[in-house]
Amino acid sequence: MLKIRRPQIDALAALSRRRFLADARVHLRYVHPERWAAVADPVLGAWVERRVARGVQLGLVEELSLLRHLEVASRLDERFADSNDALGVLYNLDELRRWPEPMALLARLHRATATT
């Protein structure tokens, strides 16, 4: 029988986290180049780590939800990404799989919130 020890599980979890953070940095540079193209990797990396930690603190646990949370924070505003309006969409995995629709909804919500 195969036995996996706690240090092995921790190492796999750390590897998965590092990969996700690296993929998230690449993704943000791709989907929002006007904001991130000239930003140094360590600066973007620190921002991504901070925003992922905030997303987890807000109850986002799925990678897809966390990635979309980063997109919203990058494009629309960090405070909006943490708002109940945004989180209501980010918690809904079915909606997130059809992302263009939620992104349009979030953009409308952001505009409405910014004008009030």
Side-chain angles (χ1 to χ4, degrees):
M1 176 162 74
L2 177 65
K3 187 173 185 178
I4 300 175
R5 292 175 173 72
R6 188 75 204 159
Q8 293 168 309
I9 293 171
D10 292 343
L12 289 172
L15 175 62
S16 177
R17 178 174 166 69
R18 285 192 310 273
R19 284 183 177 164
F20 174 73
L21 294 173
D23 290 346
R25 290 190 306 268
V26 170
H27 178 72
L28 286 175
R29 286 190 192 280
Y30 176 76
V31 299
H32 202 182
E34 63 278 8
R35 175 161 185 195
W36 299 112
V39 175
D41 281 337
V43 173
L44 176 56
W47 186 88
V48 166
E49 286 191 46
R50 182 174 55 79
R51 292 307 308 164
V52 166
R54 180 65 179 142
V56 169
Q57 185 181 42
L58 292 168
L60 301 172
V61 294
E62 299 288 335
E63 286 187 356
L64 178 59
S65 296
L66 289 167
L67 187 61
R68 299 310 188 211
H69 182 70
L70 291 172
E71 289 177 14
V72 171
S74 174
R75 283 193 186 275
L76 301 177
D77 184 71
E78 291 185 47
R79 288 174 300 167
F80 179 70
D82 296 349
S83 73
N84 289 334
D85 291 329
L87 291 172
V89 176
L90 293 169
Y91 288 133
N92 187 332
L93 288 178
D94 290 333
E95 287 295 316
L96 290 179
R97 289 186 178 97
R98 297 184 303 270
W99 182 247
E101 294 83 3
M103 193 61 186
L105 170 63
L106 287 168
R108 284 194 302 273
L109 289 171
H110 182 260
R111 282 193 300 276
T113 315
T115 60
T116 57

